[in-house]
Amino acid sequence: FSGAFFSAKAQSKIDPNTIKDKMQWFADAKLGIFIHTGIYSVNGIGESWSFHNKEISHADYMKQLKGFTLKNYDPAYWADLIKESGARYSVITTKHHDGVALYDTKMNNLSSVKATPAKRDIIKPFFEELRKRDIKCGAYFSLIDWTHSDYPGFLKDSSRYEIKNDYGRWNKFRNFFQGQIKEISTKYNPDLWWFDGDWEHSAEEWESQKTRQIMLSRNPATIINGRLQGYGDYDTPEQNFPVNRPTFNWWELCMTINDNWGFQPNDQNWKTPYEVITIFVDAVANGGNLLLDIGPKEDGSIPEQAVTVLKELGAWNKRNGEAIFNTVAGIDKGHFYGPTTLSKDSTTLYLFVHGKATGPLMLKGLDNKIESITAVGSGAKLSHKVVGKISWSPVPGLVYIDVPETALDKYVTVL
Ligand code: FHN
C-alpha cells in the first residue's frame, strides 16, 4: 500500500485533546468490519457510480429495488462471524449514495422497508445482535443522495440545480438529511458515525457543525469519522496506507476485501487471509485500525471468500491478540525495521516476524529503554531481556531478535 495518507480535505476543527476519553475504545479496538449492503448487490451493474457516471440510466439502476429480498438475512449469523473475526466494532450502510435507506426511515418512502420485497429494517436487528456480543455499532451515512429530487448532485439533468441558485431547495434537502440523522440517532443510537460523500460540498453547505451537534446532543459519547467536512473525530484513509506515521493515536484504514465495496457477481482480486492479516498488523503497528469491508449478497448471505477471511483473521487474533488489542503503535519504521506494537505501559515490545527466521536473530535498532521483548508468531511468545545499546538492523524490512539458537524454530516462525 502506498500513496497519499490522508486525502486532501478540510482538516478537522476538533481538538484531539477534547475527545481523548471517548476515542479510547476506538483506539483499543483495532479491528472493525465494514458492511456495504444495498440494491447495488442485485444485478451486478455496479454501485450508484454506474448511473452517476452515466454508464446506465438512473431508472435502470433503481429497477434493482425489486430484486432486493434479504430472504436469507440472518443478523445473528452476521454478528457471530464478526465476533469470531476478533472485530470490536462494525459499521453498516444505513444509506448509500443512491438514497435507498436500509432502515425504517419516516423521511421518505425510499427504503428497504417500503420499496423492496425485503420489507424489513436491516439496522435494528443487526445492532441488537452486535450489542448482545459487546460489539460497538457504527452507522455509515452518505451525505450525497443522488436520487433525492432536492439534491443538486452531479446528475446534470433537468431536475438538478446549483446551490447558489436555489438555497430554498438546498435547505429542503438539508432538513431531509438532518432529519434522517436525527431518526437514526433516536432509533438506533450508534456508537460511531461513518459519514461519506462530504467531498461534494463545503462544511458550511453541509452545516457540518450543526450536524455534529445533532448527534452529540443525543449521545455525547458517539464518535464521528473525518468525512463530516472539518467536524470529524478521526480520519479514515481509503485503500491507502500511511506514508508517514500520524502523530495522533486514532485513525482507521478502510479497505475492501476484493475490488468492490458492495457485492458484485464478478467480484475479483479477493485478498487472502495472509494479505489481510499483514495489512492489519501494519495498520495497528502504525497506531491505526483496520475497517475491513464485506459485501453481503442481495439475499443477505455472505460470500464464502469473505467468511474464510473473517474466520482465518479470527483464528490469528486468538493466537496473537495480546500483541494487537489495547496496544499502541510500536517503534516507528524510521527507527526499526518490521511492524511492532507496544503494550500501553511500553514495557513489552511485540514483534511481528514475516517469513521464516533465516539464521541467528539479533534485535537491532533499539535503545535499551524497553525492558522485555516478546516475539509473536504462530501463537508462541518469547520474552527477551534487552540489555545495552544495539546497533541498527542492516536489512530493511527484516526483524532481528537475539534468541538462543534452540528457540529459533519454536518461537519465531511465519506470521
Ligand atoms: O462510493 C463510496 C464507496 O461505495 C464506499 O462507501 C467508500 C468507503 O470509503 N466511499 C465511497 C468511495 O470513496
Side-chain angles (χ1 to χ4, degrees):
F1 279 81
S2 61
F5 182 46
F6 289 123
S7 50
K9 51 195 281 302
Q11 283 306 311
S12 176
K13 294 175 172 51
I14 306 303
D15 173 0
N17 292 305
T18 62
I19 55 172
K20 229 183 322 201
D21 292 347
K22 73 174 182 178
M23 287 304 300
Q24 193 55 55
W25 74 261
F26 180 80
D28 289 343
K30 306 305 180 188
L31 179 62
I33 302 300
F34 209 172
I35 295 185
H36 276 69
T37 181
I39 66 168
Y40 37 77
S41 60
V42 174
N43 288 344
I45 50 180
E47 288 180 22
S48 26
W49 292 98
S50 55
F51 70 79
H52 168 276
N53 297 335
K54 297 196 180 307
E55 291 151 20
I56 59 167
S57 71
H58 179 252
D60 283 346
Y61 174 89
M62 295 305 277
K63 283 174 186 164
Q64 296 183 101
L65 283 165
K66 295 301 166 224
F68 192 65
T69 68
L70 290 176
K71 62 181 183 294
N72 297 316
Y73 175 45
D74 180 350
Y77 171 69
W78 286 18
D80 280 341
L81 190 56
I82 290 165
K83 185 75 177 179
E84 184 175 353
S85 75
R88 306 290 168 87
Y89 65 105
S90 181
V91 179
I92 186 168
T93 46
T94 61
K95 185 181 84 168
H96 206 255
H97 312 332
D98 56 18
V100 182
L102 284 311
Y103 72 97
D104 189 12
T105 181
K106 303 302 182 202
M107 300 302 291
N108 67 9
N109 292 325
L110 189 55
S111 72
S112 52
V113 181
K114 294 183 186 151
T116 76
K119 296 203 183 318
R120 64 183 299 182
D121 176 326
I122 293 184
I123 308 305
K124 184 172 185 306
F126 182 51
F127 276 18
E128 285 168 355
E129 293 300 334
L130 288 179
R131 286 176 167 137
K132 282 180 198 167
R133 294 159 180 81
D134 197 23
I135 297 172
K136 296 280 190 186
C137 302
Y140 167 109
F141 185 84
S142 172
L143 292 163
I144 290 174
D145 186 324
W146 285 330
T147 293
H148 196 284
S149 58
D150 289 324
Y151 184 75
F154 278 104
L155 278 177
K156 296 293 179 226
D157 58 28
S158 57
S159 69
R160 297 302 179 192
Y161 66 100
E162 296 294 328
I163 292 177
K164 62 180 186 301
N165 301 332
D166 194 340
Y167 274 110
R169 208 161 157 200
W170 174 244
N171 250 337
K172 268 179 69 184
F173 176 74
R174 224 171 16 201
N175 292 335
F176 165 76
F177 89 75
Q178 290 173 352
Q180 287 193 313
I181 290 171
K182 286 173 187 164
E183 62 181 2
I184 292 169
S185 288
T186 308
K187 292 157 82 89
Y188 311 108
N189 190 26
D191 302 295
L192 181 157
W193 283 86
W194 213 96
F195 284 100
D196 204 8
D198 66 339
W199 62 79
E200 283 202 343
H201 301 293
S202 67
E204 292 67 33
E205 287 169 335
W206 289 123
E207 287 188 332
S208 299
Q209 190 167 22
K210 175 185 171 188
T211 303
R212 179 180 173 88
Q213 284 318 312
I214 288 173
M215 295 171 283
L216 296 186
S217 60
R218 287 164 175 76
N219 179 1
T222 196
I223 62 175
I224 301 163
N225 81 334
R227 300 189 191 182
L228 180 61
Q229 273 297 355
Y231 286 86
D233 298 319
Y234 72 90
D235 266 314
T236 176
E238 185 170 307
Q239 312 285 30
N240 278 323
F241 211 78
V243 175
N244 301 306
R245 177 182 290 182
T247 51
F248 44 87
N249 69 348
W250 48 74
W251 61 271
E252 172 193 77
L253 163 63
C254 67
M255 181 179 82
T256 52
I257 200 169
N258 53 41
D259 283 345
N260 295 300
W261 294 96
F263 173 77
Q264 296 293 301
N266 62 345
D267 276 330
Q268 302 287 323
N269 299 318
W270 288 87
K271 291 181 179 70
T272 64
Y274 181 84
E275 285 169 318
V276 171
I277 290 168
T278 301
I279 294 164
F280 174 47
V281 163
D282 280 351
V284 175
N286 279 282
N289 293 4
L290 172 65
L291 182 64
L292 176 64
D293 178 69
I294 61 172
K297 299 181 181 177
E298 65 76 19
D299 68 348
S301 63
I302 295 180
E304 71 274 8
Q305 300 94 324
V307 172
T308 301
V309 166
L310 293 188
K311 285 182 179 290
E312 292 283 321
L313 182 54
W316 187 89
N317 277 323
K318 271 206 175 42
R319 296 195 304 272
N320 301 296
E322 178 196 342
I324 292 285
F325 301 108
N326 306 316
T327 63
V328 294
I331 295 167
D332 190 303
K333 285 202 186 328
H335 303 288
F336 189 83
Y337 294 109
T340 57
T341 57
L342 267 170
S343 59
K344 277 184 180 171
D345 58 8
S346 297
T347 55
T348 302
L349 178 73
Y350 296 97
L351 311 181
F352 296 90
V353 181
H354 293 259
K356 268 283 184 228
T358 53
L361 294 173
M362 295 168 295
L363 182 63
K364 291 184 176 283
L366 184 72
D367 66 33
N368 57 5
K369 71 176 183 299
I370 305 281
E371 289 160 19
S372 74
I373 296 291
T374 301
V376 176
S378 65
K381 273 182 33 174
L382 171 74
S383 274
H384 179 70
K385 278 289 174 205
V386 177
V387 288
K389 192 80 181 150
I390 299 174
S391 62
W392 295 117
S393 162
V395 181
L398 273 184
V399 170
Y400 291 86
I401 311 167
D402 181 0
V403 292
E405 193 72 24
T406 51
L408 276 187
D409 53 354
K410 193 166 72 172
Y411 286 118
V412 185
T413 57
V414 177
L415 184 71

